[in-house]
Amino acid sequence: LSIIIPTYGREQVLVDTLDSLLGYAKQDCEVILVDQTATHEPEVHTRLEYWSQQEAICWLRQTVPSIPMAMNRGASEAKGELLLFLDDDIVPDSHLHIAHILAQESHRGDIIAGRVLQPWHEDSHDSDPFTKATAEIKEEFMGGNFSIRREKLFSLGGFDENFKGAAYRFEREFSDRILATGGTIWYEPTALIRHLHYQSGGTRSRGDH
């Protein structure tokens, strides 16, 4: 399993996200950070550099910010057969990567879409399609918590880099390609993250939608 995290304009929240992941996943998988931030705060840069030197993360730098491009780059550098894409401002459940692996083995879905709880959601919240507690087939996924097999991703041409800025709806376009080839998108609620919805950096620095 390769965990791929594109990041842009994030500081301490990025360190906290990586710290949580490395606390339990480092023995089972690699963590690839595709960093599009020109300059980090000194303390953040020092921590990322330390993790990179210790080979706890693969720290890739990218000068042109682009969500699809960063995701494609991370996928092309990944060693794992299975790719797990995550946001850079999350609190991952300790069972997250195992849940994705088990779901891929059980369902062989082309995409496993994980559960995403936003700050305004409770655990029992059941009206949003990606906070439900029950598993089901979906027609799309959220880009901040999903897994796909590397071979499948590249057989479809990767993510469309024509989506610029906030890259709004690039997930929908890729979902349409998956479904058009007879693929499936399986929603797995045990693959859980809490999205912090951090207000600075990330896609929100490029505007809404």
Side-chain angles (χ1 to χ4, degrees), residues 67 71 84-87 90 100 111-121 128-132 138-148 159 169-172 174-175 185-187 191 193-195 197 204:
I67 300 169
M71 294 171 74
L84 171 56
F85 291 90
L86 297 175
D87 271 347
I90 65 168
H100 273 280
I111 289 180
I112 299 298
R115 190 179 184 190
V116 180
L117 292 179
Q118 304 288 2
W120 52 88
H121 291 153
D128 189 287
F130 291 100
T131 62
K132 290 183 177 181
K138 296 284 190 184
E139 292 190 353
E140 59 183 315
F141 62 95
M142 290 185 69
N145 180 17
F146 75 98
S147 61
I148 186 172
F159 301 105
R169 301 298 278 164
F170 84 94
E171 300 107 321
R172 174 76 256 185
F174 190 78
S175 297
I185 301 171
W186 178 261
Y187 171 67
I193 66 167
R194 293 183 178 274
H195 185 213
H197 207 265
R204 280 175 288 285

Side-chain angles (χ1 to χ4, degrees), residues 22 26 29-31 48-59 79:
L22 294 174
K26 62 184 178 181
C29 51
E30 66 172 349
V31 176
L48 296 177
E49 192 170 52
Y50 171 77
W51 277 329
S52 177
Q53 290 173 351
Q54 296 296 311
E55 298 184 346
I57 64 171
C58 174
W59 187 20
K79 299 175 183 176

Side-chain angles (χ1 to χ4, degrees), residues 38-177:
T39 305
H40 282 290
E41 295 171 356
E43 297 83 359
V44 173
H45 182 91
T46 298
R47 178 63 72 89
L48 296 177
E49 192 170 52
Y50 171 77
W51 277 329
S52 177
Q53 290 173 351
Q54 296 296 311
E55 298 184 346
I57 64 171
C58 174
W59 187 20
L60 305 177
R61 308 304 297 269
Q62 184 164 296
T63 57
V64 179
S66 164
I67 300 169
M69 190 183 300
M71 294 171 74
N72 286 337
R73 172 136 186 241
S76 68
E77 300 276 353
K79 299 175 183 176
E81 174 191 354
L82 182 61
L83 310 178
L84 171 56
F85 291 90
L86 297 175
D87 271 347
D88 58 358
D89 58 338
I90 65 168
V91 178
D93 183 79
S94 61
H95 190 66
L96 175 66
H97 68 303
I98 299 299
H100 273 280
I101 291 172
L102 292 176
Q104 286 280 354
E105 290 176 349
S106 298
H107 303 288
R108 290 287 168 178
D110 292 318
I111 289 180
I112 299 298
R115 190 179 184 190
V116 180
L117 292 179
Q118 304 288 2
W120 52 88
H121 291 153
E122 299 295 334
D123 285 340
S124 60
H125 190 86
D126 208 41
S127 62
D128 189 287
F130 291 100
T131 62
K132 290 183 177 181
T134 52
E136 61 184 14
I137 296 293
K138 296 284 190 184
E139 292 190 353
E140 59 183 315
F141 62 95
M142 290 185 69
N145 180 17
F146 75 98
S147 61
I148 186 172
R149 295 189 180 275
R150 188 175 187 272
E151 181 181 8
K152 183 64 176 182
L153 173 63
F154 285 114
S155 73
L156 292 172
F159 301 105
D160 190 343
E161 296 177 8
N162 289 302
F163 284 86
K164 307 295 184 183
Y168 181 58
R169 301 298 278 164
F170 84 94
E171 300 107 321
R172 174 76 256 185
E173 187 278 331
F174 190 78
S175 297
D176 288 344
R177 272 189 279 151

Side-chain angles (χ1 to χ4, degrees), residues 2-20:
S2 296
I3 298 176
I4 300 170
I5 304 174
T7 187
Y8 177 66
R10 293 276 161 76
E11 300 296 344
Q12 187 58 47
V13 69
L14 170 63
V15 171
D16 293 342
T17 296
L18 289 169
D19 213 16
S20 296

